[in-house]
Amino acid sequence: MLDMIIIDGLSFALPLFIMAIGGIYSEKSGITNLALEGFQGFGAFTGAIAVVWLSGIFGPSSQVPYYAGFVCAVIGGGIFALLHALLCIRFKADQVISGVVMNILAMALTSFLTKSINASLFGNTANKFMLGASTRITIPGLSEIPVIGAVFRDIYPFEIIIVVVALVMWYVLYRTVYGMRLRACGDNPHSADAAGINVYAVRTVAVFISGCLSGIAGLAFAYSVSANFSPDIYLGYGYLSIAALIFGNWSILPSLGACLIFGFARSGGAAIINQLGLPSGYNDLVRILPYVLTLLLLVFFSKHNHSPRALGQIYDKGQR
Amino acid sequence: MAEPIVELRHITKRFPGIVANDDVSLSINKGEIFAVLGENGAGKSTLVSMLFGMYEPDEGEIFIRGKRERIDSPRYATQLSIGMVHQEFRLVSNYTVTENIILGLEPKRKFLGLLPYVDIRKANNDITELSERYGLKINPEDVIENLNVASMQKVEILKMLYREAEILIFDEPTAVLTPQEIKALLLVLDGLRDYGKTIILITHKLNEIKAIADRCAIMNRGKLVSILDVKTTSTDEMARQMVGHEISFTTEKKPAKFGDVVLKVADMSVKSITGYEAVKGASFEIHSGEVFALAGVSGNGQNELADAIAGLMPCSGGSVILNGQDITRASVREHIEAGIAYIPEDRHNVGLVLDFTLRDNFPLRQYYSPAFSSKGVISESAFNEHGQKLLERYDIRSSQGGATITRSMSGGNQQKAIIAREVDMRTPLIIFMQPTRGLDAGAVMNIHRQIVAERDRGAAVLLISLDLDEIMDCADTIGVIYNGSINKIAPASELSVDDIGLYMMGVGKTA
Amino acid sequence: MKAQKFTLSCLAIIISLLFGALILWLMGKDPIAAYMNLLQGSGLMEKAKYAGRQSMFTDFMSFIDAMTPMIFASLSVALALKGGFFNIGVSGQMMAAGITAHILAGFIPSRILVVIAGFLAGALIGALIGWLKYRFNVSEVVSSIMLNSILMYLITFYINTFYINPVSRQSKSIVDAARLTISGFRWEKLKVDIALAFPLAIITALILQWVLNRTTYGYEVKAVGLSPRAAYYAGMNVNRTSLLTMTFSGALAGLAGVSYFCGYLAAIQPGTTPSMGFDAIAVSLLGGNNPIGCVLASFLITVISKGTVYMSSRQHIEPEIASLITAFILTFASCSAVLDRRKKK
């Protein structure tokens, strides 16, 4: 049972984590990002199209569609995120409102397009793309270790992708020139500008990255939660990852902690209900846990939290 | 003959409704300190902003080192080795000194010859070396938010030097410093000149120019009045040219007639928002008919002191008594009703609701009173009449009268509106917090006259200012605040500017 | 000022409709016919033929029925925005109000009670959000999102476990005597849906307009919303005003909830939050956060959402196009706020 908690917990926590990193990129650069929910949905949508289309070419047993799907999810999520960047940076829209708008737009656009594409390309009326089950990997040796061996058992391939990408993103944000400039833009864009940094460009790239990372998360959820893409992908996980990053005080490592708590609370709760033999309806009660936890922790920690100073403020170069 | 390094020819810059620079031509030599003198609004900031690429001139040409240049961005200005220290510092508050200085020009290394990263260790060494060479001592690993203003200014200067700037522009660098810090800065500038740097210094303080500058351009209403050799010109002559006519530097006032004690602050302590004790046991009295001016360096507890007296912040100790009534624990509204008018420092975020119309801003602190509403319903006619009255009585200029959105007004008129609102309440105590910051000389004179008029009416006036000229101009009694304590109170006639400066640094305490 | 906002909103609508027309045209449909279908489906234009006991009037009455909760929901968003809050939790507040009213109506079937229960349930959630904000500095955006999910799962659990209609897989229906819409009322030869809450919605909008413009409370709401520090300096009780604003905003969302779940619909769908809570943000923006503007914008958005069923059946288009056009309007409206700000400078 403990194995199941770890395996399911990780497969939920890691997509959440990569999306939270995306949120951190955007918010550390000074752009409020409530649009992660929409980004992951749109990324999952583009990824799912690729998977369905390529499966038709390579056959159901090939691994190519799986990885190509993630590449397309990254691209799709990133491109859709540029719209948020456009509204917030070019048109100087209110960033909170723009975020909500992006979510509504993503939902409307993907459900419309899913139906239209199914109708015109595949000749059916379904509102979903079937992805098929993902393979799972068990690492020999490591998985034999008692208890924590479960970490290396029945892993979705996307979990490995996420760990690698997360390491890279950590390095970029805290060690490289771009990361340093990005964080400066979120604290004082005027000083970044005075230092010869193109604030608009840095922020646009940051939002783009947040879309790319959310795309990975979206397709990962599509595989792990339902094995298909449908408008049901909008379950609020994007908002949950925002909670995780706030909770993690806009830093990558503490956010990982928050995501793990969410993941294990969820899988642990499900396991308990299973064990007690309660009807599946009680799962809904368990799903409340991460949200209640977030709310409670925010109550205790909000006063100590420091959001990036320029977060949400519209930056106008001409304005002094 | 020195070679000109900067040449401006027939520069004109217009903004909607105003000509900021009108056909200005001048040339600056390499290795000199060139001052630009003028009142607020004379166009000196605009002029140098164009040199730094923040605006482009509408007409005219700029030559740098004899070559015609189109400076379209600060980035390009930096490439031409032009640097600028702005009035408001542009620093990333949660970064270290080093990180701020190298931002945009980071030294890079590759980890394992592969992964690029920012080489902070090398940068720290570079900065230490740079700061020692120019006598700007600072710890490169300090975080900006823990530094005082003078140190932040050092960081700004080091930023320019790190970029190997040759032409250094300073926009009112001394406005936020104590007299002693000013002396230190002037020494640094002198040293920079010895290293062959060209310095452009914008200021309206004549004594600084006299102390350090080689030549001085005087501007008035966007026009270049003259270029003077500082050594051979008197400060009086500079002043006359700056204003365009003879002025008296002091506000005329009758001798003060003190009445009863209006405000009695006893052993007051106030905790700042972040929790440290910003005001520590301050005690003073203000009489009716007295201007009590509080001098001090920015951030020594003035904001907290003013907010606490006005009721916006709680006192953690001591008492505040107004006309015999203890108001230490009263709410903001009870303070207003007890008779305290307050002109706050931050006129944009505190003093006004910028997106309200002017008419809606006037009753901001009285809207609930019977004069403006009854049983929770607002009287539109009372709002209108009150607005009209204040507009006329205090000569506030606005494009659409009372219906003007306050945000669209000039800073001077916004401040006039706040003062009108507060003064018109005819309260026994008025607090002026930095009332003239950023306003031009005409407006400053006007406000000083108003302060004195309120005193003569019999009000007790608390004037808190960073500007020593203002304090000398208006005060009957001067208090000096340092590190949250008032370490000197004396009649204005007994203190010189230098004395005050020493007390502001906390030095005079033992004397 | 006001005229300008109105123009900008109209501009956003026109651009979006053109955008939608472009998509329709690209799909090989006739945009003009499609848009006319929207009006016909909403009972604003005569259809070619009607089924028995139906007419343009019955269509119009069910259009009004659909529009009623939208008015309340957008007023809720508008009031919160005036007071400086972004109430993204309207969906959750609607559901909370809906389920409370459903349960109470099971004991005492009374319409008045349904309205009061909805008002109070919504107010309670709104007050909680406001309290979390001022007491613990928890951003209302985050707490409302969390509460949306919490309420949704909680109510889903409740319905699935205790209150399910096994045939429809929805909650049980509210009894007719407590339902705020009289469904299928026989009038002459027609069967008409009568939205009893509609007059209340209009009156609420008018009252809100008056309160915001003419009362000291409205003055405080606006001052706190535009500049909390200035409001505090003015001696206003900022915390109390904020709390009241969120409470009233929640109450309005509650009224939206009962007029939706105990009026327009008779049951609650478990497992999903009503999208109206988010659409209401669009409506409020479009209406310039002005109560009367909200009514007008609700009218327009409802034409699109209500008319779509008819349009999609006539033109063989996916009904999702309706939410797509709404999303476009929202996108353009969020940009137009900027144009407005830019001109003010």
Side-chain angles (χ1 to χ4, degrees), chain B residues 265 268-273 278-279 284 294 301-316 320 327-328 330-333 335-336 340-346 350-351 365 429 431-433 462 464 481, chain C residues 229 232-234:
Chain B
V265 175
M268 180 174 80
S269 295
V270 185
K271 284 213 166 69
S272 77
I273 304 170
V279 180
F284 59 93
L294 193 62
Q302 295 98 319
N303 286 319
E304 287 82 2
L305 181 106
D307 276 358
I309 296 174
L312 271 65
M313 277 185 128
C315 299
S316 57
V320 180
I327 53 167
T328 318
S331 69
V332 181
R333 179 156 296 171
H335 277 79
I336 299 169
I340 299 180
Y342 180 28
I343 288 99
E345 178 177 26
D346 186 343
V350 179
R365 277 150 72 85
L429 174 67
I431 305 171
F432 288 88
M433 180 79 194
L462 172 58
I464 300 177
I481 189 166
Chain C
R229 289 174 64 198
Y232 178 64
Y233 157 79

Side-chain angles (χ1 to χ4, degrees), chain A residues 19 22-23 26-27 31-47 72-88 95 98-107 110 203-219 221 229 233-234 238-239 241-242:
Chain A
M19 188 152 41
S26 170
E27 302 219 330
I31 303 284
T32 307
N33 202 337
L34 285 182
L36 294 176
E37 176 80 355
F39 295 173
Q40 61 95 25
F42 201 86
F45 164 76
T46 46
C72 289
V74 165
I75 297 171
I79 290 176
F80 187 72
L82 286 179
L83 198 57
H84 183 54
L86 184 76
L87 286 187
C88 294
Q95 295 171 8
S98 168
V100 175
V101 169
M102 285 301 106
N103 293 339
I104 297 176
L105 186 64
M107 206 187 309
T110 52
R203 288 184 166 182
T204 304
V205 172
V207 175
F208 178 74
I209 290 175
S210 78
C212 295
L213 300 185
S214 304
I216 299 181
L219 194 57
F221 282 132
F229 171 84
I233 191 98
Y234 300 98
Y239 293 123
S241 70
I242 292 166

Side-chain angles (χ1 to χ4, degrees), chain B residues 347-354 361 364 406 414 418 421, chain C residues 227 230:
Chain B
R347 53 179 166 259
H348 286 160
N349 295 309
V350 179
L352 295 164
V353 179
L354 282 183
N361 258 312
L364 191 63
T406 317
Q414 288 173 350
I418 297 179
R421 181 184 70 209
Chain C
S227 177

Side-chain angles (χ1 to χ4, degrees), chain B residues 289-306:
Chain B
E290 173 182 8
V291 176
F292 181 97
L294 193 62
V297 179
S298 171
N300 271 289
Q302 295 98 319
N303 286 319
E304 287 82 2
L305 181 106

Side-chain angles (χ1 to χ4, degrees), chain B residues 6 12 79 133 167 177 205 211 247 259 285 318 344 431 437 468:
Chain B
V6 175
T12 296
Q79 279 176 32
R133 190 187 327 155
I167 302 163
L177 303 180
K205 293 188 179 161
I247 53 154
E285 289 177 352
I431 305 171
R437 195 161 81 161
L468 282 184

Side-chain angles (χ1 to χ4, degrees), chain B residues 312 342 360 365 367 376 378, chain C residues 214-216 219-220 227 232-233:
Chain B
L312 271 65
Y342 180 28
D360 281 350
R365 277 150 72 85
Y367 66 95
I378 280 171
Chain C
R214 294 298 304 275
T215 65
T216 51
Y219 184 81
E220 286 164 1
S227 177
Y232 178 64
Y233 157 79

Side-chain angles (χ1 to χ4, degrees), chain A residues 43 46-55 58 62-76 161 219 223:
Chain A
T46 46
I49 293 181
V51 171
V52 170
W53 182 58
L54 291 172
S55 297
F58 289 91
S62 166
Q63 284 299 305
V64 175
Y66 187 84
Y67 294 101
F70 275 97
V71 172
C72 289
V74 165
I75 297 171
I161 299 177
L219 194 57
Y223 267 114

